[in-house]
Amino acid sequence: MSTRKGTRSESAGWHVRMGIRAKITAILVLLSTLLCAALIAIAWWSLESSLHEQLRLRLRSIAGHGAARLDTRALSALQRGLRRPLSYLAARRAMQGPAYKTIARQLNEIVELENGLLLYAYIVYPTSDPEKAWIVADNSAQAEGDWLEEQLQQALAEGQSNLQLGRDQLTIPPGTRIHSPEYQQLLARAATIEEIWYHSLVDDISDFPVMMQALKERKILVEDELYYDPQGEVVGSKIEGIWSFSGYAPIFAPDGHFLGLLGVDITANAMKDRLLRTARQLILLAGIIIALAWISSIFLGGRLSQNIKNLSNAVQALDAKSPVPTLAIRSGDEIEDLGRSFVRMARTIQLYNQNLENMVTRRTRELDLANRELVSKNEQILASLDMARRLQQGLLPASGRSYANNRLLTGACYEAMESLGGDLYDVIPIQAHQYAFLIADVSGHGVASALITSMAKLSFHAHVSNLAGEQGTINCPNPALVLDQVNRDMFRLIGDLSHYLTALLMIVDLEKQELIYSNAGHHPAVLQRENRAELFELSSDGFFIGSMESIEYQNAFMELQHNDCIILYTDGILETRNSRDEMFGYERLYQCIQDHPGVRPDELAQTIMQTVEDFSGGASIEDDRAVLCIQINGSLSAEPRELC
């Protein structure tokens, strides 16, 4: 078993060493390749720029000396012979005269003196159009004045009957021979076609901006860019392209008169060949550098990988209970520093590991004890909340109760957002024929709101009961006075807090068949008449309770009828939202009430709560919900009226 383990360890170390070597070799080869590529690019650019500049300087010298060598008298004579208007025969005579021959000979001499460096030399005459010029003398071909005769001879050789000249045609009689009288007559007729001269003697130079600039400024100019002619010359059976520069030098008569430009084209093929030779030399040098980098990387990688192998073996052998391994790394660089750091780290880890289990056990015990305490306290809190919830529900009157010998029927539903809620409704008997109905909503939720509702219930009960105690038989009940007294009590208790409550208090007098009510910032109650679709809102102005010490509330009156139903509710009903973020609102509440006329008040309260729940889609409620329904079940007058 120990032999196999040692074999696996050596194999792993070998893989580590080879991996490091490969990475070092790749990095060094990559760096050397990038360095060589940069050196080649810089050398190429420098050599090309230098050769370009040498050729341009050479071209300026050739153009300047060549322009000085030309016979300006012959050039002036040739220029006078080519002035417009020009007939074909006159142009032909001018280009076959001694002046043209002298210029053509001198152009050939300029080319021959440069021993193959120059390609072409030619004379450029300006015209009135800056984008056109006459190129009438060229060492590379016959004078352009002979082109018409060449075209005519070619047409006779091919047996053509017509020769197209610009927009006109020249008819060739059958049997016409070269140098015959008919042939001479054809040449004379061709001389009358003016379009021929423009296309034969005038060239478009708009593609040669340097030539146009030299004609305009009348000074020596050389093009900056090389021009490539893919069909430059024939070498053996192949056509080889030519790279060339063009230069232009002005020609002046002895009297200073401008005669035209001398244009010369210099070949750059020799420069390109030199660049290619240099590139091959640089590539060879780069290969040598890369080979040296490869050899160096193998040597350096072997030394470096051995140290890394030792460090890797030490890391693999590290164990919580085994002694810290020793490392014999003497490289004198960051690898040696890394080895020392590893030894210190291993010792620190072992020290921490020795205490870790005891620390974890101690912390686990402490956490378990704390968790038990939290669970116990949480159970106590939940039990207290459950008891408080039961007490709060016990403070609310039961749904479905009747009062005054079944002359008043009630129904109610309540659903708190949390264990304890901040909504309150109540039925408070005053006398045998008088009952107070209350609905209130405390801001916020939870324990604080529940405590405030309890205090509010006690205050309302005390002050409503005092109405009969102070006045005996109540001739005109005053719920506004009760709201004022409750507001003073609650302001003393919660005036310095952020809580407040809204409330709607109404008193039903069965003998007078009247309803008197007062509102403290609560939503209006709804009155539904028997067998009538319309609803009556019961509302009056009033500020909510507990925010200010002195608030004036107003009473409002309404006559009651048989089977009238009064619905009181809190804002949790109206503000319930569905999945489309729509509120339940007044319209849906009123429609629900109208859709269920004549039902018992407890059934109506349940229907309203279920409709709200269906509207929300079963989502968790965001506010307490409460509904209180009261039905008048006695013989009362027919129409309601408001009393002041």
Side-chain angles (χ1 to χ4, degrees):
M1 293 297 291
S2 60
T3 304
R4 293 182 180 179
K5 183 176 180 180
T7 303
R8 288 196 296 270
S9 177
E10 292 177 0
S11 176
W14 173 254
H15 283 299
V16 170
R17 185 172 70 254
M18 291 303 294
I20 293 296
R21 270 190 189 174
K23 292 177 181 178
I24 295 175
T25 301
I27 292 173
L28 291 179
V29 171
L30 177 61
L31 291 177
S32 59
T33 303
L34 294 176
L35 178 61
C36 291
L39 291 176
I40 290 174
I42 294 173
W44 177 277
W45 177 80
S46 300
L47 181 60
E48 186 179 31
S49 300
S50 176
L51 293 178
H52 276 206
E53 188 61 27
Q54 291 177 18
L55 280 178
R56 295 179 74 253
L57 292 175
R58 179 64 175 161
L59 188 57
R60 289 178 64 90
S61 176
I62 293 173
H65 288 86
R69 290 172 54 89
L70 291 175
D71 187 343
T72 56
R73 292 183 180 180
L75 194 57
S76 298
L78 180 60
Q79 190 178 35
R80 287 193 300 271
L82 293 177
R83 286 178 181 169
R84 307 197 65 179
L86 182 68
S87 65
Y88 173 77
L89 295 178
R92 192 164 181 265
R93 283 195 301 270
M95 293 188 179
Q96 290 180 349
Y100 180 80
K101 292 179 179 180
T102 299
I103 297 301
R105 175 177 52 79
Q106 291 181 342
L107 293 176
N108 285 326
E109 291 175 356
I110 293 173
V111 173
E112 292 171 358
L113 283 174
E114 299 302 327
N115 296 322
L117 184 61
L118 283 186
L119 296 173
Y120 307 115
Y122 44 89
I123 303 297
V124 181
Y125 287 166
T127 66
S128 58
D129 188 347
E131 294 186 354
K132 299 189 181 298
W134 295 344
I135 302 178
V136 296
D138 192 332
N139 71 297
S140 64
Q142 221 175 358
E144 293 191 18
D146 293 335
W147 73 274
L148 181 57
E149 190 168 0
E150 293 175 359
Q151 295 290 324
L152 182 58
Q153 291 178 3
Q154 182 179 355
L156 289 174
E158 295 176 357
Q160 298 180 11
S161 60
N162 293 295
L163 178 62
Q164 188 71 32
L165 300 174
R167 292 173 294 181
D168 298 321
Q169 286 187 346
L170 182 65
T171 303
I172 303 175
T176 302
R177 296 181 179 180
I178 299 176
H179 304 307
S180 63
E182 293 83 1
Y183 176 78
Q184 298 297 331
Q185 290 176 2
L186 286 175
L187 286 177
R189 285 199 299 272
T192 61
I193 303 175
E194 294 184 359
E195 288 291 327
I196 295 173
W197 312 130
Y198 184 83
H199 294 288
S200 63
L201 298 179
V202 179
D203 286 346
D204 187 352
I205 61 172
S206 58
D207 292 334
F208 301 92
V210 178
M211 182 189 293
M212 295 172 57
Q213 185 179 358
L215 286 172
K216 180 180 179 181
E217 299 179 2
R218 299 180 182 181
K219 64 180 181 181
I220 300 177
L221 293 177
V222 178
E223 293 180 348
D224 295 328
E225 302 293 335
L226 283 172
Y227 171 74
Y228 180 69
D229 184 2
Q231 298 181 352
E233 59 182 354
V234 179
V235 179
S237 60
K238 297 181 179 179
I239 297 178
E240 294 188 357
I242 293 179
W243 293 90
S244 63
F245 277 119
S246 295
Y248 309 98
I251 306 170
F252 295 99
D255 59 357
H257 178 66
F258 179 63
L259 299 177
L261 294 178
L262 170 63
V264 288
D265 294 348
I266 189 171
T267 179
N269 282 15
M271 182 194 73
K272 291 294 182 180
D273 294 339
R274 183 175 175 183
L275 286 174
L276 291 175
R277 288 196 302 271
T278 304
R280 286 193 288 268
Q281 295 172 357
L282 291 174
I283 292 173
L284 178 61
L285 178 61
I288 296 173
I289 294 175
I290 293 173
L292 292 175
W294 185 279
I295 296 172
S296 301
S297 65
I298 294 175
F299 175 73
L300 294 175
R303 294 187 60 186
L304 182 61
S305 62
Q306 183 61 42
N307 293 329
I308 296 179
K309 174 189 174 182
N310 296 335
L311 183 59
S312 175
N313 291 337
V315 172
Q316 293 177 3
L318 180 64
D319 187 77
K321 299 180 180 179
S322 62
V324 177
T326 58
L327 292 175
I329 299 177
R330 299 293 184 268
S331 60
D333 55 10
E334 288 80 1
I335 299 297
E336 183 176 350
D337 296 338
L338 181 61
R340 293 175 181 173
S341 300
F342 167 74
V343 172
R344 290 194 298 269
M345 179 191 69
R347 290 173 180 170
T348 304
I349 290 175
Q350 284 191 341
L351 180 62
Y352 281 123
N353 188 72
Q354 291 173 0
N355 299 322
L356 183 59
E357 291 185 1
N358 294 332
M359 186 183 299
V360 169
T361 302
R362 186 169 62 254
R363 291 289 183 263
T364 302
R365 190 181 302 113
E366 293 174 356
L367 289 174
D368 184 61
L369 180 60
N371 184 62
R372 291 178 183 176
E373 292 179 357
L374 289 175
V375 170
S376 176
K377 290 182 179 180
N378 185 60
E379 290 177 351
Q380 293 176 8
I381 292 173
L382 291 177
S384 299
L385 288 176
D386 184 65
M387 182 179 295
R389 180 180 60 81
R390 293 182 181 181
L391 290 174
Q392 186 181 39
Q393 291 179 348
L395 295 176
L396 300 176
S399 179
R401 290 188 59 182
S402 61
Y403 301 90
N405 297 323
N406 290 329
R407 297 178 66 189
L408 284 175
L409 302 179
T410 63
C413 282
Y414 179 59
E415 186 176 2
M417 177 182 174
E418 300 176 0
S419 297
L420 299 175
D423 286 0
L424 169 68
Y425 63 87
D426 202 358
V427 180
I428 307 173
I430 303 174
Q431 296 185 28
H433 61 281
Q434 290 180 337
Y435 289 84
F437 296 93
L438 168 69
I439 190 161
D441 185 0
V442 179
S443 61
H445 314 282
V447 176
S449 299
L451 290 175
I452 294 174
T453 58
S454 300
M455 291 185 291
K457 178 182 177 69
L458 294 176
S459 179
F460 273 107
H461 264 267
H463 292 296
V464 170
S465 299
N466 288 340
L467 290 177
E470 294 175 357
Q471 302 178 17
T473 302
I474 304 176
N475 295 321
C476 187
N478 193 352
L481 176 61
V482 174
L483 290 180
D484 177 66
Q485 294 170 338
V486 172
N487 176 66
R488 295 178 185 274
D489 292 344
M490 299 308 296
F491 181 77
R492 286 192 297 271
L493 294 172
I494 65 172
D496 57 341
L497 303 178
S498 60
H499 289 276
Y500 61 89
L501 66 148
T502 65
L504 177 60
L505 179 63
M506 54 178 57
I507 297 176
V508 174
D509 192 326
L510 296 176
E511 289 185 354
K512 294 184 177 181
Q513 305 170 8
E514 293 175 353
L515 170 68
I516 181 171
Y517 57 92
S518 184
N519 196 330
H522 199 80
H523 295 285
V526 179
L527 174 65
Q528 184 184 33
R529 288 275 144 89
E530 183 182 18
N531 300 325
R532 293 182 64 176
E534 62 179 325
L535 302 177
F536 298 90
E537 283 190 351
L538 306 179
S539 179
S540 64
D541 296 333
F543 205 64
F544 44 76
I545 295 172
S547 59
M548 293 184 292
E549 183 175 7
S550 179
I551 301 175
E552 183 178 354
Y553 296 98
Q554 303 293 329
N555 289 324
F557 299 84
M558 180 71 77
E559 287 189 354
L560 297 175
Q561 296 181 6
H562 176 67
N563 281 341
D564 279 354
C565 186
I566 305 170
I567 300 97
L568 297 86
Y569 52 90
T570 59
D571 56 3
I573 299 294
L574 301 177
E575 296 175 1
T576 298
R577 296 181 180 272
N578 61 11
S579 59
R580 296 189 297 274
D581 201 34
E582 298 172 340
M583 292 180 60
F584 188 74
Y586 289 103
E587 183 177 351
R588 291 185 176 88
L589 174 62
Y590 294 170
Q591 186 64 47
C592 176
I593 296 172
Q594 290 175 330
D595 291 341
H596 300 85
V599 300
R600 291 175 54 85
D602 55 343
E603 295 177 359
L604 179 59
Q606 289 287 348
T607 300
I608 293 174
M609 292 293 280
Q610 187 60 47
T611 303
V612 173
E613 179 68 18
D614 295 341
F615 175 79
S616 68
S620 58
I621 66 174
E622 298 179 357
D623 196 2
D624 303 331
R625 301 170 184 169
V627 178
L628 175 62
C629 300
I630 307 108
Q631 185 177 9
I632 310 301
N633 190 24
S635 177
L636 301 174
S637 60
E639 293 294 335
R641 62 183 178 88
E642 184 175 351
L643 304 176
C644 298

